Amino acid sequence: MPEYDLIVLGAGPGGYVAAVRAAQLGLRTAVVERDKPGGICGNWGCIPSKAILSDAVLFAELKLGAQRGILADNVRADFGRVIDRSREVADRQAKGVEFLFKKNKVAYVQASGRLTPGGVLVTTTSGQTERLAARHVLLATGSAERTLPGLEIDGAVVLTSREALARRELPASVAIIGGGAVGVEFAYIYASFGARVTVVEMAGTLLPGMDPDLGRELERAFRRQGIEVLTGHRYERLERKPPGAEVVVVGPAGPRTLVTASVLVAVGRLPLSGDLGLEEAAVQTRGGFVVVDPHMRTSADGVYAIGDLVGPLLLAHAASEQGVIAVEAMASQGANGREVDPTRVPICIYCLPEVAAVGLTEVEARSRGYEVRVGKFPFRALGKATASGHTEGFVKIVSEERYRAVLGVHMIGAGVTELIAEAGLARSLEATTTELVGTIHAHPTLAEAFREAALDAEGRAINA
């Protein structure tokens, strides 16, 4: 019976990073994964979807090239090849993670696993079982797509992102139920390649939970791209009518029927906690999510959990950080003083315009009792944005009055998923808008918008 210091269930960005860090700390480590290394993110989420999105952006740029003197007549897209390339990218990612396991002497077991006293019981695809003993177990099994009643997934008409990432045929029309990150990314993909797209979102703006200014700006951009956006509408029912379906949604004006070739369900995710032996191991859960302390310990001795399994930060980079915190706590047999602060975790969405944010929204800051200062700078007033042809969007800084501390940064526009790193550093260093203004930014760059927004928050805007 093999014995380890740590067994990690799940090889996604939380699990594999935790395993590598554990090996660096001298822990004899094994990873159990039923699919491929890289987990949902590497194989069926972040990485393949960004490959498709990058191709969608390129195709959209080429189609508009004549406006900028780039004449490329009869530009066409092979959507099947786009999907094939994304699968190739995902495969390379999986091989990269497997290489990291070998490099760091982490044992990799392709099987499903569940908690058992003193370790993990693994079951291979052929049905063979084996008990692996370990002092610690880290649960990093992630999440799966949520569905709604009447929206049973058939892979032909009704899809989740999982099926959409593998489907080589571009549908003529798509109704997307859900206007969060996944919904808007696929809306941009499908519309860029020529499909007729309708996004249905129950909340009053796209991107519910984020600063409403971002959702409103993205809706305006989507409408200019020919995407129909139905905010304040809820899904009512679906009737399959070959070759597609009719979807009834209800909004302020009453019910409306959408006739569509495909329906993409993008209404969130559920933790994969159902077959891990949690109850038998006395691991406490709440709403399906595993309950943990700031160092990712569960209620069961020696069992830790991270990532989507613990919620609510369903983000790959949050899971990676939580994994490092967990194994460092294991290695020292005590708290290491580190924990994940949700207000310092950036959120990125990769449609065009891109969306990125970190920290408190304006509403959240006021609800916490801060006297708020807001600075905002539009990209249309920025030289680099004008020169590049991407003038949609803005940078918004939420700060507090007394010390001018940066509480949150909210961005929408081309390139903001890279610019958000500076905002994240500002949050980590507890920077003030005064310090941002005092930091010389190169000209011409998109990053100047960050300083300009800080100037506006200070009441001394120059370029807008």
Side-chain angles (χ1 to χ4, degrees):
M1 182 175 66
E3 184 168 339
Y4 297 94
D5 296 308
L6 168 64
I7 295 175
V8 181
L9 290 186
Y16 91 75
V17 168
V20 170
R21 181 61 183 141
Q24 291 174 344
L25 293 170
L27 302 181
R28 187 180 180 211
T29 304
V31 175
V32 178
E33 169 60 59
R34 64 183 179 183
D35 194 355
K36 293 181 179 179
I40 293 296
C41 175
N43 294 290
W44 298 105
C46 313
I47 302 305
S49 67
K50 302 314 166 278
I52 299 169
L53 278 158
S54 68
D55 291 346
V57 170
L58 174 60
F59 187 49
E61 291 272 272
L62 289 173
K63 287 190 293 183
L64 296 173
Q67 298 175 8
R68 301 168 63 177
I70 308 299
L71 304 180
D73 298 333
N74 196 30
V75 176
R76 295 173 297 131
D78 182 343
F79 191 73
R81 176 61 193 135
V82 169
I83 297 299
D84 291 344
R85 190 186 80 87
S86 74
R87 301 313 313 152
E88 292 164 6
V89 169
D91 288 342
R92 285 199 296 273
Q93 185 80 0
K95 290 175 182 175
V97 174
E98 195 166 2
F99 167 76
L100 290 175
F101 288 157
K102 292 177 181 177
K103 176 184 176 182
N104 291 279
K105 297 180 173 57
V106 174
Y108 174 61
V109 181
Q110 187 166 12
S112 59
R114 61 182 282 122
L115 291 170
T116 192
V120 171
L121 183 68
V122 299
T123 305
T124 67
T125 54
S126 63
Q128 295 179 316
T129 61
E130 182 182 9
R131 184 177 178 272
L132 305 179
R135 291 192 299 118
H136 303 289
V137 176
L138 177 63
L139 305 175
T141 51
S143 62
E145 299 81 2
R146 185 192 297 269
T147 60
L148 294 174
L151 286 175
E152 287 72 25
I153 308 305
D154 59 22
V157 174
V158 184
L159 319 170
T160 68
S161 59
R162 176 74 176 245
E163 292 78 26
L165 287 169
R167 184 174 177 176
R168 300 181 75 256
E169 299 78 25
L170 177 70
S173 56
V174 186
I176 299 177
I177 311 301
V182 172
V184 299
E185 287 186 352
F186 273 97
Y188 178 77
I189 288 170
Y190 285 132
S192 295
F193 286 112
R196 177 171 53 83
V197 178
T198 301
V199 180
V200 180
E201 170 53 53
M202 188 165 58
T205 63
L206 293 175
L207 308 177
M210 300 187 74
D211 191 293
D213 285 352
L214 298 175
R216 285 188 282 266
E217 180 73 7
L218 183 60
E219 181 173 344
R220 286 190 288 267
F222 271 9
R223 292 188 189 281
R224 287 191 289 269
Q225 295 172 24
I227 299 171
E228 183 179 24
V229 178
L230 301 178
T231 51
H233 284 68
R234 61 178 173 82
Y235 159 77
E236 180 77 10
R237 65 181 183 276
L238 176 143
E239 183 177 352
R240 287 171 169 80
K241 289 195 173 180
E246 292 185 357
V247 180
V248 177
V249 298
V250 179
R256 176 178 170 183
T257 300
L258 307 175
V259 180
T260 183
S262 293
V263 179
L264 177 68
V265 184
V267 292
R269 302 186 66 83
L270 293 169
L272 287 171
S273 57
D275 192 29
L276 297 178
L278 300 181
E279 186 174 352
E280 298 91 325
V283 173
Q284 183 183 356
T285 61
R286 185 179 299 121
F289 292 99
V290 175
V291 177
V292 294
D293 71 8
H295 305 288
M296 317 316 296
R297 299 183 183 91
T298 73
S299 56
D301 187 40
V303 179
Y304 294 67
I306 61 171
D308 291 6
L309 192 61
V310 304
L313 294 171
L314 308 185
L315 298 165
H317 43 285
S320 297
E321 183 67 9
Q322 290 169 340
V324 171
I325 288 172
V327 297
E328 289 181 353
M330 294 175 202
S332 64
Q333 298 299 307
N336 56 12
R338 294 176 58 206
E339 58 184 85
V340 174
D341 178 355
T343 71
R344 297 184 181 183
V345 178
I347 300 170
C348 294
I349 300 168
Y350 298 84
C351 51
L352 198 66
E354 294 178 345
V355 180
V358 64
L360 301 179
T361 67
E362 184 178 350
V363 172
E364 288 170 338
R366 295 188 192 281
S367 70
R368 295 190 184 194
Y370 288 107
E371 189 174 347
V372 171
R373 278 175 168 255
V374 174
K376 201 170 182 180
F377 186 81
F379 280 111
R380 66 175 180 274
L382 195 69
K384 180 63 181 292
T386 303
S388 68
H390 294 293
T391 57
E392 291 180 316
F394 55 82
V395 174
K396 177 179 179 178
I397 294 179
V398 179
S399 62
E400 54 84 36
E401 175 69 35
R402 184 176 182 185
Y403 300 107
R404 310 292 173 86
V406 176
L407 302 176
V409 179
H410 311 275
M411 305 177 173
I412 179 168
V416 300
T417 57
E418 300 296 334
L419 297 183
I420 199 64
E422 182 176 355
L425 182 61
R427 287 284 302 131
S428 292
L429 297 178
E430 300 181 348
T432 66
T433 52
T434 306
E435 290 167 328
L436 296 181
V437 168
T439 301
I440 299 174
H441 288 64
H443 174 78
T445 60
L446 294 177
E448 288 179 278
F450 192 38
R451 181 175 183 269
E452 292 285 351
L455 277 165
D456 188 44
E458 293 269 314
R460 46 192 177 118
I462 293 177
N463 287 296

